[in-house]
């Protein structure tokens, strides 16, 4: 069923990506290395408010979605918002480093 959903996304019917399909679509796009589908899901995640910034960062981290990751990091406007990320322990070391660097952006404020 998940594979059929993937086919609906990439073939002419262009079924939209939803909150419920985005995770398994990303998984299948990763499995089959379908760049077009990565781009669609990344675009969806950048526009939607149905996922928290932390959830988006987790997906960006797991599936190497650099544009989404940069978008999410830029949306963190102060240290308080960065410290509020409950999923911090689940992030990769690379993402933790980027979050620390983002926190330094606010040191003089």
């Amino acid at each position: 069923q998940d594979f059929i959903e993937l086919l609906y996304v990439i073939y002419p019917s262009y079924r939209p990506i939803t909150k419920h399909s985005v995770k398994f679509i990303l998984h299948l796009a990763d499995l089959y290395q379908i760049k077009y589908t990565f781009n669609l899901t990344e675009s969806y995640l950048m526009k939607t408010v149905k996922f928290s910034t932390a959830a988006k960062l987790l997906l960006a981290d797991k599936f190497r979605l650099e544009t989404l990751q940069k978008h999410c990091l830029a949306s963190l406007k102060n240290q308080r918002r960065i410290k509020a990320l409950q999923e911090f322990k689940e992030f990769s070391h690379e993402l933790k480093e980027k979050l620390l660097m983002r926190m330094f952006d606010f040191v003089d404020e």
Side-chain angles (χ1 to χ4, degrees):
Q1 186 63 28
D2 290 350
F3 188 75
I4 292 170
E5 190 72 22
L6 172 67
L7 293 177
Y8 280 128
V9 170
I10 62 175
Y11 279 102
S13 68
Y14 295 114
R15 182 176 287 179
I17 295 170
T18 67
K19 176 183 176 182
H20 303 290
S21 69
V22 71
K23 291 179 185 178
F24 68 78
I25 294 294
L26 278 170
H27 172 74
L28 292 172
D30 188 45
L31 182 66
Y32 296 108
Q33 292 300 295
I34 306 171
K35 185 167 178 54
Y36 171 74
T37 307
F38 276 119
N39 294 341
L40 286 176
T41 54
E42 190 169 41
S43 177
Y44 168 79
L45 287 165
M46 289 174 62
K47 294 174 187 170
T48 190
V49 295
K50 296 179 180 182
F51 287 86
S52 68
T53 300
K56 291 177 183 182
L57 279 169
L58 278 171
L59 291 171
D61 197 24
K62 180 176 181 179
F63 294 104
R64 301 164 308 284
L65 303 172
E66 290 296 320
T67 304
L68 176 61
Q69 189 178 85
K70 288 176 186 175
H71 174 80
C72 291
L73 290 170
S75 76
L76 297 169
K77 301 292 186 190
N78 56 51
Q79 286 187 6
R80 182 184 49 78
R81 290 198 59 197
I82 296 170
K83 290 177 184 178
L85 296 172
Q86 299 293 320
E87 293 83 351
F88 190 80
K89 292 180 181 178
E90 298 176 50
F91 296 148
S92 69
H93 294 299
E94 293 82 12
L95 180 53
K96 289 177 184 176
E97 179 182 345
K98 290 176 184 178
L99 286 165
L100 178 61
M101 296 306 291
R102 184 71 176 135
M103 285 188 81
F104 284 135
D105 291 343
F106 305 112
V107 168
D108 293 332
E109 292 181 5

